[in-house]
Each structure stands twice: as structure tokens, then as C-alpha cells.
Amino acid sequence: MENNNDVVNINPELIKRIDNLSEELQIQAVKKHPELIQYIDNPTEAVKLEAVKQGEDLIKHIKNPSETVQLEAVKRYMFAIKYIDNPSEEVQLEAVKRYGDLIQYIDNPTEAVKLEAVKKCGFSIKHIKNPSQQMQLEAVKSCGYSLEYIKNPSETVQLEAVKEKGLSIDYIDNPNEEVQLEAVKENGLSIQYIKNPSEEFQLEAVKSCGLSIHYIKNPSEALKLEAVKSHGFALMYIKNPSEQMQLEAVKQNGSSIKYIDNPSEAVQLEAVKSCGLSIRHIDNPSSEAVKLEAVKQNGYSLKYIKNPSEQMQLEAVKQKGLSIGNIKNPSQQMQLEAVKSCGYALEYIDNPSEQMQLEAVKQNGCAIQYIDNPSEAVKLEAVKQKARKIKRDKKENKKNGK
């Protein structure tokens, strides 16, 4: 026995030449070279189980595997179902629960297996002949786009499909008004597949997705206004938008100002209040007020302002300390405000005073990495800040049940 054991340890493939191996040696062999299962005559259940744990296709080398072995195989490697002849219903269910589309590898699946498959993956219905109404419903509930593989779906199935994915209306011939309405409610862009939609449907579409106005011919002023309220970028599809539309658009998304020619100061102000960085889309901002609002909303917008005033610079670093990286020769006050806002701003400050160093590590103890030869007071403050942060994090985690 010891000689056999040595053989397995040195070269497991020599097992092919050894008869009557003990169960222990068989297990050792398949652990090292799982494919050797095919050369073992009458392997025990334990050996078979060990083999299928090692790879998805190894079960094909096992004659008449028990249900236990089959289950172990698909639990470990779901695609093992491809290599199992006549799997039991339990084994089939285990496979499709993991990935519904595996039903394509099962001959004559039971009704329960079919139903489980479409629940898990709606698209698996394409592998089922003559699916029942219940299967169709479960499939489109899982994924509305699976409607593509259902012939002559009932109105009920159509409704469930568009409720889940409005754009699945593309797979419906002559949908009724109820189906159309549900589709545009779920996704306004589905209006592109509706012929001559009513004003009501158009309104629901732009409320759901403002960009759907792109697919509406000659939209009314009310529709245009509703569209930009829903999505500011809808402005790109509107010719000569009124000032009211422009204002609503930039309120929803400041960056939509890039679709406006010569925006008024009022529009510019609303845009930068919504998104300070939208100032990059404004050529020659109308006033200092616009620039100031931009940096108050987002300090990084300072990057897009030519010759910013000291007040703008100060507001920028208060809002985003790291924006000091965009300021040449910042004043002491700016430097101090920057590190109070973000300790890491210290990276952009040459020869910071001890006061600045202290303010920086008070905000973030890790900012000490940007200080050469920190004083004992600075080191102590950094440690205190880190300790406070750990305490806060623990308290927050406890509060969130983590």
C-alpha cells in the first residue's frame, strides 16, 4: 500500500496502471488530477463527489452518477448540467435557479423547471416550445425585452412587458392605447415606436424622459417646457427656446447651457447655481456675479475663469480647498482657508507656517505627509484627528448596523 501511495504522490497518472486502489488513494488521485476519474473502475460515491468538485465537465466521465453527485456538480459548476443525461427535476431546478438560460441544455424539462427558468432569466423563454401564459408573464416580468421571443402575446403579457421595459413595445404589432400609455410612462423614449401619439401620450413621454421630445413632431410650447423640466439636455432638440425654457433647463442641469446661444445673465446665473462647472460653457460671463456664484457652487470652476478676483479665489478655496492648485501666488488668508476646507491642500503650499500645518492636520491627519519635519504639536494634532475619525467611523458603522 505504501508503494501505491508513493506512486500517487510522485506521478498520479500512473494510477491508470494500478488495480484495486483504496478509496483514500482514489480521492488523492482525483484531487491532484481530476480527469483521472475516467480511469478508475467503479469509483466510490466519495470519489465521484470529489471529482465533480474539481471542474464542470468531469461529471461526463462518471457513469450513472447519483442525484447527490449531480447536485454537487451543478452547485459547484452550473454548466455541469450540459454533461448530465436525464437529470432529475431537483437537479434541473438547481441549475436553472442559478442561471435560467441553462434550460437549453435540458431535454424535456418539467413545467416547474420551465417556470423557474423564466423567473430567473426572461430570455430563457426562447428555449421553451409553446410556453404557457404563466410562463410568458413571468418571463416579461423578469425582463420586458423577452417579449421578442413570444408569439402572439396576449394584452396582459404585453402590458406586463412594457411596465417592466417600455421600449419592449417595439416587439408589439398594433399595441392598444393602454399598452402605449404604460410604455411611455415607463420610458418616454418608447414614444418613437408609437404612430401618431396623442397629446396625452406625448406629455407622459416627456415627463418620463425629456429627451423623448426628439421623437415628437411639432411639439407644443407646453411639451417643450415639460421636456426641459424633466431633462435639461432636451434643449438640444428645441429650436429657439424661450427664456423660460432656458431657465427651466439650466435649473434641471446647469450644463445644458451649452445648447443656448447668447444666454442672458439670468440664465447664466441659474446655470452656475445649479452647476458651477457649467461656467466653462459660457463665453465671456456677463458679470462678476456669475463668476462668483460659480465658485461658490464648485470651487474647481475657478479653473475656467480668467483673471479671477481675490474674492472669487477666496470663495473657491472655501468651497474646495484643493482649488488652490489653480491660484498663482495665493495670499496667506487663501492658504489658511484652503487647508481648513481640505487638509490635503497643503500639497500646493510652499513653506506653510505651523499654524497652517496645524489647521491642515486638524481637518485631515493624513495631510501630515505633505509636511517636512513636522513639530511635536503638529504630530500630536494629526494623531488626535485620526483617533477622532476612527471613533466617528465606529459610531457611524454601529448606527448603520455594520
Side-chain angles (χ1 to χ4, degrees):
M1 181 62 68
E2 289 181 359
N3 290 336
N4 284 346
N5 193 41
D6 289 341
V7 169
V8 171
N9 286 331
I10 294 170
N11 186 353
E13 290 203 14
L14 292 178
I15 198 173
K16 301 175 187 178
R17 306 174 189 174
I18 301 173
D19 297 323
N20 302 317
L21 276 180
S22 69
E23 181 179 73
E24 182 182 353
L25 288 177
Q26 291 178 30
I27 289 174
Q28 286 181 34
V30 296
K31 277 185 177 179
K32 293 182 178 180
H33 286 261
E35 69 278 4
L36 292 181
I37 186 70
Q38 63 189 301
Y39 301 111
I40 299 175
D41 294 328
N42 303 314
T44 66
E45 187 82 349
V47 174
K48 294 174 183 176
L49 282 169
E50 191 58 51
V52 297
K53 289 177 183 178
Q54 308 303 321
E56 68 179 48
D57 64 340
L58 292 171
I59 198 167
K60 68 183 179 183
H61 300 304
I62 300 174
K63 293 180 181 178
N64 304 315
S66 68
E67 184 176 67
T68 302
V69 172
Q70 293 177 28
L71 276 171
E72 186 63 37
V74 296
K75 283 179 181 178
R76 293 274 181 162
Y77 306 97
M78 59 186 179
F79 282 94
I81 193 74
K82 294 192 292 183
Y83 307 104
I84 301 175
D85 295 325
N86 303 314
S88 68
E89 182 175 61
E90 186 178 354
V91 174
Q92 293 176 31
L93 282 169
E94 189 63 43
V96 298
K97 280 179 181 177
R98 293 172 182 276
Y99 180 37
D101 217 40
L102 290 174
I103 198 170
Q104 63 184 296
Y105 302 113
I106 301 173
D107 295 326
N108 305 313
T110 65
E111 294 300 297
V113 172
K114 294 175 184 176
L115 196 58
E116 194 60 47
V118 296
K119 282 181 180 179
K120 193 68 178 179
C121 173
F123 284 120
S124 64
I125 200 165
K126 64 184 175 183
H127 304 297
I128 300 173
K129 293 181 180 178
N130 304 315
S132 67
Q133 174 89 344
Q134 185 182 5
M135 289 173 200
Q136 294 176 30
L137 280 170
E138 291 296 343
V140 296
K141 283 180 181 179
S142 170
C143 178
Y145 294 137
S146 61
L147 192 67
E148 179 183 4
Y149 303 103
I150 299 174
K151 293 181 179 179
N152 304 315
S154 67
E155 184 179 325
T156 304
V157 172
Q158 293 176 26
L159 273 171
E160 286 297 336
V162 297
K163 283 179 181 179
E164 203 285 317
K165 286 286 186 292
L167 290 171
S168 65
I169 196 171
D170 186 32
Y171 302 117
I172 303 174
D173 295 326
N174 304 314
N176 65 28
E177 289 196 353
E178 186 180 3
V179 172
Q180 292 176 25
L181 188 58
E182 287 297 337
V184 296
K185 282 182 178 179
E186 197 286 318
N187 189 329
L189 294 174
S190 59
I191 201 164
Q192 64 188 290
Y193 302 114
I194 299 174
K195 295 179 180 179
N196 304 315
S198 67
E199 180 86 8
E200 178 191 3
F201 290 178
Q202 292 175 19
L203 191 58
E204 287 294 342
V206 297
K207 282 182 179 179
S208 170
C209 176
L211 297 176
S212 63
I213 199 164
H214 178 53
Y215 301 103
I216 299 174
K217 294 180 179 179
N218 304 315
S220 66
E221 295 299 296
L223 275 176
K224 294 175 185 176
L225 193 60
E226 202 60 53
V228 295
K229 284 181 180 179
S230 170
H231 199 310
F233 280 11
L235 211 56
M236 74 175 94
Y237 301 118
I238 299 174
K239 293 181 179 180
N240 304 316
S242 66
E243 175 131 352
Q244 185 185 4
M245 289 176 201
Q246 294 176 26
L247 283 168
E248 290 294 344
V250 297
K251 281 180 184 177
Q252 198 282 322
N253 189 323
S255 292
S256 62
I257 198 168
K258 63 185 176 181
Y259 300 112
I260 302 173
D261 295 325
N262 303 315
S264 67
E265 182 174 349
V267 172
Q268 293 178 29
L269 273 171
E270 282 299 336
V272 297
K273 282 180 182 179
S274 170
C275 173
L277 291 173
S278 66
I279 199 166
R280 61 186 164 176
H281 302 299
I282 302 173
D283 296 326
N284 303 315
S286 297
S287 66
E288 296 295 293
V290 173
K291 299 174 186 177
L292 195 58
E293 283 297 334
V295 296
K296 282 182 178 178
Q297 200 283 324
N298 191 322
Y300 292 140
S301 60
L302 190 69
K303 179 181 177 180
Y304 304 102
I305 298 174
K306 295 178 181 179
N307 304 314
S309 67
E310 186 165 341
Q311 184 185 5
M312 290 174 201
Q313 294 173 356
L314 196 57
E315 289 294 342
V317 297
K318 283 181 180 179
Q319 204 283 321
K320 284 282 189 293
L322 291 175
S323 64
I324 198 168
N326 297 310
I327 301 174
K328 292 181 180 179
N329 304 315
S331 67
Q332 290 283 311
Q333 186 183 5
M334 289 176 201
Q335 294 175 21
L336 196 57
E337 288 294 343
V339 296
K340 283 182 179 179
S341 171
C342 176
Y344 285 145
L346 207 59
E347 180 183 3
Y348 302 102
I349 299 174
D350 296 325
N351 303 313
S353 66
E354 184 167 18
Q355 182 190 4
M356 284 182 201
Q357 295 175 23
L358 282 168
E359 289 294 344
V361 296
K362 278 181 184 177
Q363 199 282 321
N364 190 324
C366 293
I368 199 169
Q369 65 187 292
Y370 300 114
I371 302 173
D372 296 326
N373 304 313
S375 67
E376 291 301 310
V378 172
K379 292 177 183 176
L380 184 60
E381 193 58 53
V383 172
K384 285 181 179 178
Q385 193 280 330
K386 288 182 181 179
R388 289 194 296 269
K389 184 178 185 300
I390 291 170
K391 189 175 180 180
R392 284 196 306 271
D393 289 346
K394 283 183 178 179
K395 188 176 180 181
E396 190 66 26
N397 288 338
K398 187 176 180 180
K399 182 180 176 182
N400 295 329
K402 292 182 181 178

